[in-house]
Each structure stands twice: as structure tokens, then as C-alpha cells.
Amino acid sequence: MSDFARLDRVAISLVRLREHLLERETGRWCVEGLGPLEIKGDGSTGRLLIAHGAGAGQGSFFMSQLRTALAEHGVQTLAIEFAYMQRMQKEAKRFPPPRIDRLVDELNAWCDILTHQELGPFWLGGKSMGGRAASLLAARDQAAGLILCGYPFHPPGRPENLRLAHWPLLTCPTLVVQGSRDPFGSREEVMEYDLDERVRVHWLEDGDHDWKPRRISGHTQAVLIREGAVAIAGFMQEYRDA
């Protein structure tokens, strides 16, 4: 079991969680009716509700390193774990994620709990499938902004099956941080898409879907994660200052 999903988290009611939010506290809790939540970073640059990918939860190297790097640049991350991933962690078995619309509804439930007018809006985002769910929610209900890490533009080997039908409904600033050789959308493929002017793509040279470069590149995954975090913080700060 990952450290993120450990069972010794402090159980917390929705009322008490709201008190923590208003007090701008960071920490790790198990929220009644929803599951684990980690809030990390001071939020001086902005706040980001971040979801994980299909095969690995928030305790993965990628997600934990990204949250740490974002916190170092003033981005407060509100990290949640979907119900199917909680079950995987508890039973030590692998389960496929449910339909994407169910994940969107789960994400929306977290938004309802974490939103408070005194704290201002937070951005939505996530890794791969988590980013797709965030973008679908933003297209449906709007959002302050989107951060998409390794967006799954299409299934690997099926570039004709694009997952962009809802993108014309996005009205918020959107940053895609993508490895240049991501099989879910490489630089050569994405450059051919007609993306809205509100969408910016930051390319991580030689990175794959998990931002892992080949050894010949001279870089490491940790280096690309830090680069991605700098790009995210800079993008959020740009709109915070606007």
C-alpha cells in the first residue's frame, strides 16, 4: 500500500474539513463519504485540485514528485483518489477504472466539498485519465483553469480516436504539459490539432506518457517533472496576476 493510501489517516467530517480549509491548513485526511485527501503547499501561486491517472494513484512516484515540486513553487495541490483506486489499494488487486462520466461525477463531488467563496476558485487538473475527467467537468460546469499532465489525446496506436470533442466547450485557460514522444499524443500529432488560443502546450523533450526520457537524452524523469512544475506554476501565476 502506498504512503498516500495508508490506513492511519485521520478521519475527518465534512464540517471539520471546511474549518481546516478556512484556516488554510495543509495535511492528510480521510474525508467521510469520499476518501483520502492531501493538501500540500501554501497556495501563494494558486490552488489545484489534481486527479491521478488510470493505472497508478497519488502515491506513485510521478504524482508524489509532481505535488512536491508544485508546492516548492507556491501551488497548493488538493490531491484526491477515485473510489476504484481506493478499492485497489485496500484489496491489493487491480481493477479497471469505471466509465469516465462516473469519474467526472466523483470529481464534481470533491469540487462541491472543497469550494468556498472565501478561498477563491481553484484550478482543475490531473494526470492522463484524471486530466481528461477534469477537462470534461470544466467543459460542463466551467473552471478557473485547467492543468493537463500527459493528456490522453487518443488511445495508443489509434490516433483517429481523438478525445477532443468537448474541448470547444472549454472557456478557461488550459495548459497541457506533454512528453514529446507520448504515445497518447506526440508532438508531431498534437501540432496538427486545431486547438483554441486559450490552450497552451509545454513540451518536455523526449518525455513519454510519464515524462520519462530515454537515457540518451541526458535527462531524467525527475528533471522533467521539475520542469513541468515550473511551467505549471508560471502559467497559473500569469493568470493570477492578470
Side-chain angles (χ1 to χ4, degrees), residues 41-68:
D42 63 19
S44 57
T45 299
R47 302 164 68 225
L48 173 64
L49 174 58
I50 189 167
H52 56 78
Q58 297 284 5
S60 68
F61 177 84
F62 179 94
M63 296 301 301
S64 60
Q65 290 294 304
L66 179 60
R67 294 196 307 276
T68 296

Short mmCIF file of all heavy atoms in Angstrom, two decimals, residues 41-68:
data_model
loop_
_atom_site.label_atom_id
_atom_site.label_comp_id
_atom_site.label_asym_id
_atom_site.label_seq_id
_atom_site.Cartn_x
_atom_site.Cartn_y
_atom_site.Cartn_z
N GLY A 41 1.27 22.60 0.13
CA GLY A 41 1.68 23.85 -0.48
C GLY A 41 0.93 25.03 0.10
O GLY A 41 -0.19 24.90 0.60
N ASP A 42 1.54 26.21 0.02
CA ASP A 42 0.94 27.39 0.65
C ASP A 42 -0.07 28.12 -0.22
O ASP A 42 -0.80 28.98 0.25
CB ASP A 42 2.03 28.37 1.12
CG ASP A 42 2.87 28.94 -0.02
OD1 ASP A 42 2.43 28.89 -1.19
OD2 ASP A 42 3.97 29.43 0.26
N GLY A 43 -0.13 27.80 -1.50
CA GLY A 43 -1.13 28.40 -2.37
C GLY A 43 -0.84 29.83 -2.80
O GLY A 43 -1.72 30.49 -3.35
N SER A 44 0.38 30.30 -2.60
CA SER A 44 0.71 31.67 -2.99
C SER A 44 0.62 31.88 -4.49
O SER A 44 0.40 33.00 -4.97
CB SER A 44 2.12 32.04 -2.49
OG SER A 44 3.09 31.12 -2.99
N THR A 45 0.78 30.81 -5.26
CA THR A 45 0.65 30.87 -6.72
C THR A 45 -0.75 30.49 -7.19
O THR A 45 -1.20 30.94 -8.24
CB THR A 45 1.69 29.95 -7.38
OG1 THR A 45 3.00 30.38 -7.02
CG2 THR A 45 1.56 29.95 -8.89
N GLY A 46 -1.43 29.66 -6.41
CA GLY A 46 -2.76 29.21 -6.78
C GLY A 46 -3.05 27.86 -6.17
O GLY A 46 -2.19 27.24 -5.55
N ARG A 47 -4.29 27.41 -6.36
CA ARG A 47 -4.73 26.12 -5.83
C ARG A 47 -5.16 25.23 -6.98
O ARG A 47 -5.78 25.69 -7.93
CB ARG A 47 -5.89 26.32 -4.85
CG ARG A 47 -5.56 27.21 -3.68
CD ARG A 47 -6.81 27.68 -2.95
NE ARG A 47 -7.48 26.59 -2.26
CZ ARG A 47 -8.81 26.39 -2.29
NH1 ARG A 47 -9.59 27.17 -3.02
NH2 ARG A 47 -9.34 25.40 -1.61
N LEU A 48 -4.82 23.93 -6.87
CA LEU A 48 -5.06 22.98 -7.97
C LEU A 48 -5.61 21.68 -7.42
O LEU A 48 -4.93 20.97 -6.68
CB LEU A 48 -3.76 22.72 -8.72
CG LEU A 48 -3.77 21.63 -9.80
CD1 LEU A 48 -4.71 22.00 -10.95
CD2 LEU A 48 -2.35 21.39 -10.32
N LEU A 49 -6.86 21.36 -7.77
CA LEU A 49 -7.43 20.06 -7.46
C LEU A 49 -6.90 19.09 -8.52
O LEU A 49 -7.19 19.25 -9.71
CB LEU A 49 -8.96 20.12 -7.51
CG LEU A 49 -9.71 18.79 -7.34
CD1 LEU A 49 -9.34 18.12 -6.03
CD2 LEU A 49 -11.21 19.02 -7.43
N ILE A 50 -6.13 18.11 -8.08
CA ILE A 50 -5.41 17.27 -9.03
C ILE A 50 -5.80 15.80 -8.87
O ILE A 50 -5.84 15.26 -7.77
CB ILE A 50 -3.89 17.46 -8.89
CG1 ILE A 50 -3.13 16.77 -10.02
CG2 ILE A 50 -3.38 17.03 -7.52
CD1 ILE A 50 -1.68 17.17 -10.11
N ALA A 51 -6.11 15.16 -10.00
CA ALA A 51 -6.53 13.76 -10.02
C ALA A 51 -5.43 12.90 -10.65
O ALA A 51 -4.61 13.39 -11.43
CB ALA A 51 -7.83 13.61 -10.80
N HIS A 52 -5.43 11.63 -10.33
CA HIS A 52 -4.39 10.70 -10.81
C HIS A 52 -4.80 10.04 -12.12
O HIS A 52 -5.92 10.21 -12.61
CB HIS A 52 -4.12 9.64 -9.74
CG HIS A 52 -5.36 8.88 -9.34
ND1 HIS A 52 -5.90 7.86 -10.11
CD2 HIS A 52 -6.19 9.00 -8.26
CE1 HIS A 52 -6.97 7.38 -9.52
NE2 HIS A 52 -7.18 8.06 -8.40
N GLY A 53 -3.88 9.25 -12.67
CA GLY A 53 -4.14 8.53 -13.91
C GLY A 53 -4.82 7.20 -13.66
O GLY A 53 -5.15 6.84 -12.52
N ALA A 54 -5.02 6.43 -14.73
CA ALA A 54 -5.82 5.21 -14.65
C ALA A 54 -5.13 4.10 -13.87
O ALA A 54 -5.76 3.38 -13.11
CB ALA A 54 -6.16 4.72 -16.06
N GLY A 55 -3.81 3.93 -14.06
CA GLY A 55 -3.14 2.76 -13.51
C GLY A 55 -2.42 2.96 -12.19
O GLY A 55 -2.04 1.98 -11.55
N ALA A 56 -2.20 4.19 -11.79
CA ALA A 56 -1.45 4.46 -10.56
C ALA A 56 -2.08 5.65 -9.84
O ALA A 56 -2.49 6.62 -10.46
CB ALA A 56 0.01 4.75 -10.87
N GLY A 57 -2.15 5.54 -8.51
CA GLY A 57 -2.79 6.58 -7.72
C GLY A 57 -1.83 7.70 -7.32
O GLY A 57 -0.73 7.84 -7.87
N GLN A 58 -2.26 8.46 -6.33
CA GLN A 58 -1.48 9.61 -5.89
C GLN A 58 -0.17 9.22 -5.22
O GLN A 58 0.73 10.05 -5.07
CB GLN A 58 -2.32 10.46 -4.92
CG GLN A 58 -3.57 11.07 -5.53
CD GLN A 58 -3.28 12.26 -6.42
OE1 GLN A 58 -2.12 12.60 -6.67
NE2 GLN A 58 -4.32 12.90 -6.92
N GLY A 59 -0.04 7.97 -4.81
CA GLY A 59 1.20 7.54 -4.17
C GLY A 59 2.30 7.16 -5.15
O GLY A 59 3.41 6.83 -4.73
N SER A 60 2.03 7.24 -6.45
CA SER A 60 3.06 6.89 -7.44
C SER A 60 4.20 7.91 -7.41
O SER A 60 4.04 9.03 -6.92
CB SER A 60 2.45 6.86 -8.84
OG SER A 60 2.07 8.18 -9.25
N PHE A 61 5.34 7.51 -7.93
CA PHE A 61 6.50 8.41 -7.98
C PHE A 61 6.15 9.69 -8.72
O PHE A 61 6.45 10.79 -8.27
CB PHE A 61 7.68 7.72 -8.66
CG PHE A 61 8.90 8.60 -8.82
CD1 PHE A 61 9.80 8.76 -7.78
CD2 PHE A 61 9.13 9.28 -10.01
CE1 PHE A 61 10.91 9.58 -7.92
CE2 PHE A 61 10.24 10.10 -10.15
CZ PHE A 61 11.12 10.24 -9.11
N PHE A 62 5.48 9.54 -9.86
CA PHE A 62 5.15 10.70 -10.68
C PHE A 62 4.30 11.69 -9.90
O PHE A 62 4.62 12.88 -9.81
CB PHE A 62 4.41 10.26 -11.95
CG PHE A 62 4.00 11.40 -12.84
CD1 PHE A 62 4.80 11.79 -13.89
CD2 PHE A 62 2.81 12.11 -12.62
CE1 PHE A 62 4.45 12.86 -14.71
CE2 PHE A 62 2.44 13.17 -13.42
CZ PHE A 62 3.26 13.54 -14.47
N MET A 63 3.20 11.21 -9.33
CA MET A 63 2.28 12.11 -8.66
C MET A 63 2.89 12.72 -7.40
O MET A 63 2.72 13.92 -7.14
CB MET A 63 0.97 11.39 -8.31
CG MET A 63 0.17 10.91 -9.51
SD MET A 63 -0.33 12.24 -10.65
CE MET A 63 -1.30 13.30 -9.60
N SER A 64 3.59 11.93 -6.62
CA SER A 64 4.16 12.46 -5.37
C SER A 64 5.26 13.48 -5.67
O SER A 64 5.34 14.53 -5.02
CB SER A 64 4.70 11.33 -4.50
OG SER A 64 5.70 10.59 -5.17
N GLN A 65 6.09 13.20 -6.67
CA GLN A 65 7.14 14.15 -7.03
C GLN A 65 6.57 15.42 -7.63
O GLN A 65 7.06 16.52 -7.37
CB GLN A 65 8.11 13.49 -8.04
CG GLN A 65 8.97 12.40 -7.45
CD GLN A 65 9.96 12.94 -6.43
OE1 GLN A 65 10.75 13.84 -6.72
NE2 GLN A 65 9.92 12.40 -5.23
N LEU A 66 5.52 15.30 -8.42
CA LEU A 66 4.91 16.48 -9.02
C LEU A 66 4.30 17.37 -7.94
O LEU A 66 4.46 18.60 -7.97
CB LEU A 66 3.85 16.06 -10.03
CG LEU A 66 3.11 17.20 -10.73
CD1 LEU A 66 4.08 18.09 -11.51
CD2 LEU A 66 2.03 16.65 -11.66
N ARG A 67 3.60 16.78 -6.98
CA ARG A 67 3.00 17.59 -5.92
C ARG A 67 4.07 18.30 -5.09
O ARG A 67 3.91 19.47 -4.74
CB ARG A 67 2.13 16.72 -5.01
CG ARG A 67 0.91 16.15 -5.70
CD ARG A 67 -0.12 15.63 -4.70
NE ARG A 67 0.42 14.70 -3.73
CZ ARG A 67 0.58 13.40 -3.94
NH1 ARG A 67 0.25 12.86 -5.11
NH2 ARG A 67 1.05 12.62 -2.99
N THR A 68 5.15 17.61 -4.81
CA THR A 68 6.24 18.23 -4.05
C THR A 68 6.84 19.39 -4.82
O THR A 68 7.07 20.48 -4.26
CB THR A 68 7.34 17.20 -3.73
OG1 THR A 68 6.79 16.18 -2.88
CG2 THR A 68 8.52 17.84 -3.04
#
